Amino acid sequence: MVNLPVIDMVKTGQNIGKLRKQAGLSVRDLQDVFGFATPQAIYKWQQGAALPTIDNLVVLAAVLQVRLDDILVTDTAVQIQISA
C-alpha cells in the first residue's frame, strides 16, 4: 500500500488568504498581477472552491515569495495498492 497525497482545497484556500495577507497584498493586488478582469478567481481560490492552475500557482508562489509546497496543504488519506 502506498499513501498518496491529496490536496485539501479548503485548507489550501485558507492558506492562500493567510499568505496573501502576510505579504501585505490585497485581492485587488493579485487580480492586477494575474490580469484578471474580476477578482472572482482569487476569491474562489481562497474559499477552496477552485485551485489555481499550475502556471498561476507558480506565479502566486513567486509573488508571495514562498515555495509551492508552502501554498498547498495536503493530506495522505488515499491509499492504493501498487502491483509489481
Side-chain angles (χ1 to χ4, degrees), residues 29-60:
D29 292 333
L30 288 183
Q31 177 186 341
D32 291 344
V33 165
F34 289 100
F36 296 155
T38 67
Q40 296 312 312
I42 296 159
Y43 285 122
K44 286 181 180 180
W45 298 347
Q46 292 185 157
Q47 293 165 355
L51 290 172
T53 59
I54 191 68
D55 54 333
N56 284 342
L57 193 59
V58 170
V59 172
L60 185 62

Side-chain angles (χ1 to χ4, degrees), residues 1 5-6 10-11 13 17 21 24 32 42-44 46 49 51-52 60 66-67 73-75 83:
M1 293 295 250
V6 176
V10 172
K11 288 182 182 175
K21 290 173 188 169
D32 291 344
I42 296 159
Y43 285 122
K44 286 181 180 180
Q46 292 185 157
L51 290 172
L60 185 62
V66 297
R67 298 174 306 130
V73 178
T74 59
D75 184 16
S83 349

